[in-house]
Amino acid sequence: MTRAYRSPGPADVSAILGVQRECYPAALREDRQTVEQRIAAARDFCWVAHDEQGLFAYLFAYPSTLGRVTPLGGLFHVQPGGDTLYLHDLAVSRRAARSGAGSNLVELAVASALARGFTHAALVAVQGSQPFWEQHGFVLHDAADATQAANLQTYPGTAVYMRRPLRSNK
């Protein structure tokens, strides 16, 4: 089975929403318009994984600032000159679970962040995913202020803000 990774396009939105339905309860799902905005705002920082059967995973990220938390359903506000690649959403379909696709997408994002000179990657871990992110070098990081703490509270269940320092060769 041949796997490939690429930036998403508008034709991928339905498949992305299908993967999202498999991976998240209704309270964590984002609507079509939000997914379309993410692709339009930060296509160069988003990736999908696909094979002969179609799209099976995605990762949405964008340039941000360390400590800034995107609320659930919030739009991407790309920060030119930001120091952090914010990984907003990673999802892998059941048929590709434990295949390494999620880790591959994370490493693509980290390599992209390093190549662009970012000093951090950051995210909100949901659904008990903190151990996965820790395996990729992420550590807990306190929300910077009351606004960011409130943004973190938009995620149901236990959600934690995490960061990973990056070393650039630039």
Side-chain angles (χ1 to χ4, degrees):
M1 189 175 295
T2 303
R3 290 195 177 143
Y5 300 88
R6 61 172 169 75
S7 294
D12 296 317
V13 173
S14 291
I16 289 167
L17 291 171
V19 171
Q20 185 185 89
R21 278 189 302 275
E22 282 186 42
C23 296
Y24 296 122
L28 279 170
R29 291 183 205 145
E30 295 177 313
D31 64 24
R32 175 178 288 274
Q33 183 177 359
T34 301
V35 170
E36 289 170 344
Q37 186 275 339
R38 297 202 188 311
I39 293 169
R43 185 173 190 268
D44 291 343
F45 299 94
C46 300
W47 296 269
V48 295
H50 61 94
D51 58 19
E52 294 84 4
Q53 296 178 46
L55 190 148
F56 61 85
Y58 66 88
L59 172 60
F60 291 148
Y62 73 98
S64 187
T65 304
L66 185 63
R68 183 177 174 143
V69 177
T70 300
L72 182 63
L75 299 180
F76 280 5
H77 297 287
V78 174
Q79 303 215 308
D83 63 354
T84 300
L85 184 63
Y86 185 88
L87 310 180
H88 179 72
D89 188 8
L90 170 66
V92 178
S93 72
R94 286 185 210 103
R95 75 177 176 85
R98 302 198 192 316
S99 69
S103 293
N104 290 342
L105 286 166
V106 171
E107 293 312 313
L108 274 171
V110 167
S112 176
L114 283 166
R116 290 174 163 99
F118 290 100
T119 57
H120 292 90
L123 56 91
V124 173
V126 298
Q127 292 185 292
S129 63
Q130 183 177 337
F132 170 84
W133 294 109
E134 288 171 342
Q135 290 173 359
H136 291 282
F138 287 82
V139 296
L140 292 176
H141 186 82
D142 288 331
D145 58 34
T147 299
Q148 302 315 313
N151 287 347
L152 187 59
Q153 293 302 314
T154 65
Y155 295 87
T158 302
V160 294
Y161 184 72
M162 302 181 78
R163 69 168 174 83
R164 175 180 168 176
L166 302 176
R167 302 216 191 297
S168 177
N169 295 328
K170 291 185 173 184

